[in-house]
Amino acid sequence: MRRYGKHTDEDDIRSRPNRKGTRPRTNIRPAHEDAAEGMVLTVDRGRLTCLVDDRTILAMKARELGRKAAVVGDRVALVGDLSGKKDTLARIVRIEERSSVLRRTADDDDPFERVVVANADQLAIVTALADPEPRPRLIDRCLVAAFDGGLTPLLVMTKSDLAPPDKLLELYGHLEIPYVVTSREELETGDAAQRVQEHLDGKITAFVGHSGVGKTTLVNALVPEDRRRTTGHVNAVTGRGRHTTTSALALPLAGEDGWVVDTPGVRSFGLAHIDPSRVIHAFPDLEPGTVDCPRACSHDEPDCALDQWVAEGHADPARLYSLRRLLATRERTEGD
Ligand SMILES: Nc1nc2c(ncn2[C@@H]2O[C@H](COP(=O)(O)OP(=O)(O)OP(=O)(O)O)[C@@H](O)[C@H]2O)c(=O)[nH]1
Ligand SMILES: [Mg+2]
Ligand SMILES: [Zn+2]
């Protein structure tokens, strides 16, 4: 069953008991050889907007997919009416293997993890320098989720017209993460979009961050209006009259084949699912020092071999400090 990919086995309907009232289980499934390939652009109450060739098509999940949910960024196979005409609904019969997954839980005790975006190459962690205040804990958590999910991080610091970036740059400098600082004025002149764009070409970049930091403002500056119109931005008006994004939406960049994914603001980024051994991969300068670690070392415990290794001068102690800060972010509560 090669075409189902290895990521499907956790949800595979064949491994679950037959539910009452459904047909007897069978291994004979339609081949769907005529299925079209598409990409999920947005999901709204079980309706998925997919890009197939140059058309946006409304689709729903076929029953045979079981519990497995398609998310923004997923590559899917579709059958049925693929015309994209009004009142038509195609069916998604297959979700292709994902190259990356950005996951979060509502909080650290929440066993229910959701995939925010599939197949993104890069995670743009957007933080305002003021209004709302930067929250390093949230940034750290997004970084860990990026490293864990196989996404390259990019820091975007907005609203430099309201406060300088110095303190944050000090905190993140040792992580050697690329960053961009933008202001209201640079948004208006187009400089902000241009400088962010330099990091996006040819990639799928998901924008995440607290509500109100300016994700949608940036995405709108990056994506020409006619391209935004195809799917329509999903917005709601908050109590204070501000527009807030309510579902993730993938939009194509002009020129290169890059994509940006705008996402709703988050208050927290639960990391219940994180595996520390995947986080260390994001620190290639430290990774060789872990060969003498005890088995299943968290790299944040007394027997960890990294202390000795760094003391011998193999790597910058500030890097180890940064790694530990990220690993510890799982144990601490957010907001401090
Ligand atoms: N002063 C200043 N305001 C900005 C800047 N960028 C965005 N804003 C404002 O910040 C507010 C929030 O911007 P949005 O783009 O809606 O923020 P968001 O991150 O998409 O918020 P959610 O969708 O709720 O997650 C808007 O009023 C923007 O005009 C900036 O560089 N400087
Ligand atoms: Mg928004
Ligand atoms: Zn260790």
Side-chain angles (χ1 to χ4, degrees):
M1 279 295 197
R2 171 176 40 88
R3 64 203 164 82
Y4 286 94
K6 66 175 181 214
H7 281 278
T8 58
D9 45 21
E10 56 195 341
D11 295 322
D12 200 326
I13 54 170
R14 282 167 304 166
S15 63
R16 292 192 293 129
N18 192 18
R19 275 166 308 182
K20 236 171 120 187
T22 56
R23 284 167 295 148
R25 271 187 292 166
T26 168
N27 283 328
I28 305 161
R29 300 200 206 181
H32 299 308
E33 267 151 18
D34 55 340
E37 290 296 314
M39 174 182 167
V40 178
L41 302 182
T42 191
V43 183
D44 182 21
R45 283 162 291 178
R47 294 286 186 267
L48 299 98
T49 304
C50 303
L51 184 73
V52 180
D53 300 325
D54 286 332
R55 304 186 303 283
T56 48
I57 288 173
L58 206 57
M60 62 180 286
K61 203 172 78 170
R63 184 147 18 110
E64 64 202 80
L65 280 181
R67 275 182 311 148
K68 190 168 174 68
V71 301
V72 173
D74 261 324
R75 305 274 167 191
V76 294
L78 300 112
V79 298
D81 190 333
L82 303 176
S83 66
K85 290 197 188 109
K86 201 167 169 282
D87 297 329
T88 62
L89 195 59
R91 276 181 309 127
I92 294 174
V93 291
R94 192 165 68 238
I95 302 170
E96 306 297 352
E97 197 172 325
R98 292 163 176 165
S99 63
S100 75
V101 273
L102 177 67
R103 294 187 184 87
R104 64 181 284 251
T105 50
D107 62 58
D108 284 354
D109 300 324
D110 182 1
F112 182 75
E113 76 177 54
R114 67 199 79 201
V115 177
V116 186
V117 180
N119 299 320
D121 306 295
Q122 184 166 248
L123 187 67
I125 302 163
V126 187
T127 182
L129 293 162
D131 186 31
E133 286 303 306
R135 300 204 305 165
R137 299 239 54 77
L138 183 61
I139 302 173
D140 286 352
R141 285 167 161 270
C142 293
L143 282 171
V144 171
F147 293 146
D148 179 74
L151 292 80
T152 316
L154 168 71
L155 283 180
V156 181
M157 302 173 203
T158 61
K159 312 198 188 186
S160 67
D161 48 299
L162 303 180
D166 315 33
K167 256 167 53 191
L168 268 190
L169 287 177
E170 215 170 276
L171 202 50
Y172 291 98
H174 289 296
L175 287 170
E176 288 156 22
I177 297 162
Y179 67 88
V180 189
V181 180
T182 63
S183 66
R184 164 73 73 204
E185 195 194 333
E186 288 163 326
L187 277 170
E188 278 151 23
T189 60
D191 284 4
Q194 201 194 325
R195 291 217 317 282
V196 175
Q197 172 92 48
E198 283 167 18
H199 295 270
L200 308 181
D201 279 349
K203 295 180 189 143
I204 300 179
T205 303
F207 285 69
V208 298
H210 196 270
S211 183
V213 295
K215 299 178 293 296
T216 301
T217 306
L218 257 183
V219 164
N220 286 349
L222 287 161
V223 180
E225 206 192 332
D226 56 328
R227 284 176 180 238
R228 269 184 272 143
R229 220 177 300 134
T230 35
T231 47
H233 235 116
V234 192
N235 270 319
V237 181
T238 67
R240 284 194 236 144
R242 194 172 63 74
H243 287 267
T244 188
T245 309
T246 53
S247 26
L249 171 66
L251 291 160
L253 284 165
E256 301 296 311
D257 58 340
W259 288 82
V260 288
V261 182
D262 191 9
T263 68
V266 291
R267 194 157 287 154
S268 64
F269 213 100
L271 297 175
H273 56 282
I274 295 298
D275 175 357
S277 67
R278 289 199 296 246
V279 176
I280 184 89
H281 292 321
F283 291 77
D285 50 335
L286 297 176
E287 204 170 8
T290 62
V291 291
D292 294 327
C293 283
R295 264 188 63 204
C297 183
S298 67
H299 307 310
D300 195 19
E301 56 191 59
D303 289 342
C304 179
L306 280 169
D307 297 274
Q308 169 93 35
W309 199 74
V310 167
E312 286 165 6
H314 296 291
D316 184 351
R319 292 276 294 166
L320 180 56
Y321 174 79
S322 297
L323 169 70
R324 295 254 163 90
R325 195 181 81 211
L326 292 190
L327 290 171
T329 199
R330 293 179 310 138
E331 277 104 54
R332 272 185 244 131
T333 50
E334 271 177 84
D336 52 286

